[in-house]
Amino acid sequence: VDTVRLARRVLARDEAHDCRLATLARLFRASTMPTHRALDDARATVDVMHGLLERLGNVGVHTVEELATWQSTVTPAQRRKRFLAESLPHAPGVYVFLDGRGATLYVGKSKDMRTRVRTYFTASETRRRMTEMVAIAESVTGIVCATPLEAEVRELRLIAERKPRYNRRSRFPERATWLKLTVEPFPRLSLVREVKADQGTYLGPFGSRRLAEAAMTAVHEAIPIRQCTDRLSPIQLKHACALAEMGRCGAPCEGRESVADYGRHVEAVRGAFTADSRRLVDRLQARIERLAGHHRYEEAAVHRDRMAVFVRTAARSQRIGALAAVPHLVAARRLESGGWELHVARFGRLAGSATTLPGEHPGPALAALVATAETVVAAPPPLPAATVEETECILRWLEIPGTRLVEVDGVWALPTGGAGSLAALVAAADAADHAAHPFDDRRGLRPAR
């Protein structure tokens, strides 16, 4: 029972201008006032709950069941459409809400499609956009999947393909931002939307352009690679910019660095992207320590956050790229029922799924699955032959305890000095940032009516 939701429905605006615990505790004359300590806040909440329940007794609410019914926000449109769930099976899969014209409104997944879809027509569904979606929906179709992983992947693919208006995530995987080390005599860093087969080195994807810019700035601070956007030639020389005078660029534009000399910086960046990120991180940490030593803590925190963005994204990119480089991988996991859950992944894409019955030998089913699995063509590295989210779903399944590798063509491995080995560093940076900002700024939010 949510005391905030109750208070918003029970109390008038002239009684309480907001529904914070301190305000409600004063209104109901709680014996303990909240102090942002667990025990005091719990005691104050108990008194507030008793006060709210006294108000509800006047409208005939005396039991938990009556309270649930009273709180119910089920609309008549939701109740009338409960029959839409009856055609779905009790099986894992993907369900699709359609409007009267057959357009996709919403795509979801579940281990039990019928049970999950039924909840959209009950009081347990509290999202306003779902209430609106159900009012528009005219039918629900189900796609039975062999395994929960297949259902998760199919959901992602359908959302990316159909872009349903009521799905908020995974609709636009093509909008991701990548950091690219260009291919030219004097390469530079560039923000791009697409990974191409052009021998460039890519890092990503980033959730926003702001994060990509932060990672690019971190690289520029550690390695003196040029920041100008012109295409340079070792023959046609130009005047150097202010960064060269500051020692942050070797000025290849003026001929101070040859292609070979500049190539050392390029290899350092490429190595930080794909293999060993420790050298770049060591330089950034040294800079952070110098700033902290001069009591420039805010600047140090900015550099620390940029470093964390780079390390986090590099770890993700290397992890995805490792699986995306494997032409063929088969894995199995024993089910609680006694059968086996089988999956085939090729170049980071789910190519086939199957399950076996308890007591049945998995060999024949496995052979049939491999023979009929989807033929997949590799994408430019580090991009998988699927969306990044799909590859991450496969990786999460592979990391479940008890999952067994059956066949692996090629090498599936992460670099020893890769960004994944710096997870403790990122965790420390996140903890420091949370300590500095323990609460979200919610001043822009308005109370629900």
Side-chain angles (χ1 to χ4, degrees), residues 60-68:
V61 175
H62 302 286
T63 66
V64 175
E65 291 76 14
E66 291 172 346
L67 177 60

Side-chain angles (χ1 to χ4, degrees), residues 129-347:
R129 75 180 194 282
M130 290 296 100
T131 303
E132 179 183 331
M133 184 273 295
V134 169
I136 301 173
E138 294 295 333
S139 62
V140 184
T141 61
I143 303 172
V144 177
C145 298
T147 66
L149 175 60
E150 182 186 356
E152 190 172 3
V153 167
R154 284 187 178 274
E155 179 198 29
L156 291 173
R157 293 179 184 176
L158 283 172
I159 292 173
E161 174 189 347
R162 302 186 183 183
K163 297 179 173 34
R165 58 187 288 194
Y166 289 98
N167 282 96
R168 287 187 173 177
R169 66 175 186 86
S170 310
R171 287 198 299 169
F172 302 101
E174 66 277 5
R175 292 183 180 179
T177 302
W178 295 78
L179 186 57
K180 177 184 179 180
L181 183 63
T182 61
V183 183
E184 50 186 310
F186 298 104
R188 61 184 178 85
L189 296 178
S190 175
L191 300 182
V192 297
R193 288 288 192 184
E194 182 182 0
V195 176
K196 298 181 179 179
D198 57 2
Q199 305 303 314
T201 304
Y202 294 84
L203 179 71
F206 293 88
S208 66
R209 187 178 180 87
R210 177 183 60 82
L211 293 176
E213 290 173 347
M216 182 166 64
T217 303
V219 176
H220 283 149
E221 290 169 348
I223 300 173
I225 192 168
R226 70 186 183 95
Q227 301 183 36
C228 53
T229 58
D230 297 334
R231 185 176 182 86
L232 300 184
S233 168
I235 300 175
Q236 298 178 344
L237 302 181
K238 300 180 180 180
H239 292 292
C241 62
L243 291 175
E245 304 304 323
M246 297 167 60
R248 299 182 61 181
C249 178
C253 54
E254 281 191 342
R256 299 184 199 176
E257 283 186 326
S258 64
V259 173
D261 293 335
Y262 187 81
R264 293 196 298 269
H265 308 318
V266 176
E267 289 304 315
V269 174
R270 185 175 289 113
F273 281 13
T274 62
D276 193 342
S277 306
R278 293 173 297 185
R279 181 182 174 188
L280 182 145
V281 170
D282 288 344
R283 294 182 181 180
L284 292 174
Q285 282 190 298
R287 184 183 182 91
I288 293 169
E289 290 172 2
R290 286 196 302 270
L291 290 170
H294 290 86
H295 306 291
R296 296 163 63 180
Y297 299 116
E298 291 187 358
E299 290 183 59
V302 170
H303 288 275
R304 178 204 64 207
D305 293 343
R306 290 172 181 165
M307 179 183 66
V309 170
F310 173 84
V311 172
R312 190 181 296 109
T313 306
R316 184 188 185 199
S317 183
Q318 292 168 9
R319 183 167 174 263
I320 292 167
L323 186 61
V326 178
H328 176 76
L329 181 147
V330 182
R333 188 172 71 89
R334 184 176 287 278
L335 300 172
E336 294 181 0
S337 61
W340 288 90
E341 185 178 5
L342 310 173
H343 291 113
V344 177
R346 293 173 176 169
F347 296 114

Side-chain angles (χ1 to χ4, degrees), residues 330-389:
V330 182
R333 188 172 71 89
R334 184 176 287 278
L335 300 172
E336 294 181 0
S337 61
W340 288 90
E341 185 178 5
L342 310 173
H343 291 113
V344 177
R346 293 173 176 169
F347 296 114
R349 180 182 178 87
L350 186 65
S353 302
T355 56
T356 63
L357 297 174
E360 177 186 354
H361 193 281
L366 182 62
L369 176 63
V370 171
T372 58
E374 178 185 357
T375 300
V376 179
V377 178
L383 199 67
T387 63
V388 170
E389 285 183 296

Side-chain angles (χ1 to χ4, degrees), residues 40-63:
D40 289 345
D41 287 9
R43 285 171 171 161
T45 303
V46 169
D47 292 338
V48 169
M49 173 64 82
H50 288 165
L52 292 170
L53 292 178
E54 288 178 2
R55 296 285 189 93
L56 291 171
N58 297 327
V59 295
V61 175
H62 302 286
T63 66

Side-chain angles (χ1 to χ4, degrees), residues 21 32-46:
L21 182 57
T32 304
M33 293 302 295
T35 60
H36 296 295
R37 295 294 182 269
L39 185 56
D40 289 345
D41 287 9
R43 285 171 171 161
T45 303
V46 169

